[in-house]
Amino acid sequence: MRRALLVALVVAVSMPASAAPDPSRDVLWAALKTCVLAKRIANRTFPCLSVDLGDTDRPGSAVLRAPGEPTHIVVMPTDTVAGLEAPVLRGPSGIAYWRAALAARPFVSDVLKGRLTPEAVGLAVNSARGRSQDQLHIHLDCLKPSVLTALKAHGRQIRTTWSRFPAPLAGDRYFALRVPEAEVARFNPFAVLYTLPGGRPNLHRTSFAAVATLPGDPEPGFLLLAYRVPSASAEDVMDHSCTVANRGA
């Protein structure tokens, strides 16, 4: 049973959306239900790394590692939430899941035993057609070296209102927004996406990533990066083999 579930998770978390037949889009949800049941019955979390059942004021969330990809983590609501287009995310739930994702970053960096700096870990959520699963999952992993280079060159130019990021990131053109450090804990990226330039909001076609500002930035915090195309996949800024750690970044 454990081996079969792990094989299913490899498919669910790692395969491209275009290869996913409809029945497979609930595999991640099935794994999540297993995690929640194990937590409730036996205070165990397999196959998840952690499960927070939440309370009356805070929704629950779970953390899962992609099998075979030690640094690739996903954070999910324990409630049914299809994706970033879900209206519920515009309220307090969106802030709660953002905080849960930030808190999960050590699951990425701890695997590498000090070989990865915090700003080299990114968060990403794919669009409806850019994802393979219909349960909201926030990806966490190392950033591609080329993305880190672009952030180093242009990150300080980003302000607290949307503007075009000056250079392509993993081949796509993003809008960018600075989140000051003092505002990070109460920030809601899902709500801010409704203000993304480009006409009427269409979150089914929108994807975003978030990265910490680099050391030495005079205005520390996070950069929110978002773009809108039919199969938008901000996960493309990530490197699931974590080359930056092997380089000693």
Side-chain angles (χ1 to χ4, degrees), residues 3-171:
R3 182 176 179 82
L5 184 53
L6 285 174
V7 170
L9 288 172
V10 171
V11 175
V13 178
S14 303
M15 72 180 179
S18 60
D22 288 343
S24 76
R25 296 181 72 89
D26 290 328
V27 173
L28 195 58
W29 174 243
L32 176 62
K33 289 194 292 184
T34 301
C35 299
V36 170
L37 185 63
K39 180 68 174 180
R40 286 176 174 162
I41 293 177
N43 198 31
R44 302 186 63 149
T45 63
F46 179 84
C48 292
L49 297 173
S50 70
V51 177
D52 176 359
L53 296 177
D55 53 37
T56 55
D57 299 317
R58 177 178 48 82
S61 59
V63 180
L64 177 71
R65 173 171 284 122
E69 296 178 334
T71 61
H72 184 187
I73 302 296
V74 292
V75 176
M76 305 164 285
T78 55
D79 294 331
T80 303
V81 181
L84 63 80
E85 70 279 1
V88 68
L89 296 175
R90 298 180 67 179
S93 291
I95 300 173
Y97 300 137
W98 161 257
R99 289 177 178 173
L102 295 181
R105 288 180 295 164
F107 285 112
V108 178
S109 55
D110 288 355
V111 169
L112 298 164
K113 304 184 184 303
R115 290 186 290 129
L116 188 70
T117 57
E119 61 275 2
V121 178
L123 287 65
V125 182
N126 296 328
S127 68
R129 285 176 55 184
R131 66 185 185 235
S132 65
Q133 297 293 293
D134 287 327
Q135 172 67 7
L136 176 69
H137 51 291
I138 304 173
H139 296 268
L140 286 79
D141 208 340
C142 305
L143 295 170
K144 289 179 176 176
S146 62
V147 171
L148 285 169
T149 298
L151 292 171
K152 184 176 181 179
H154 304 292
R156 295 190 186 190
Q157 302 173 36
I158 304 307
R159 306 267 60 88
T160 55
T161 56
W162 287 113
S163 62
R164 277 287 186 187
F165 193 81
L169 297 171

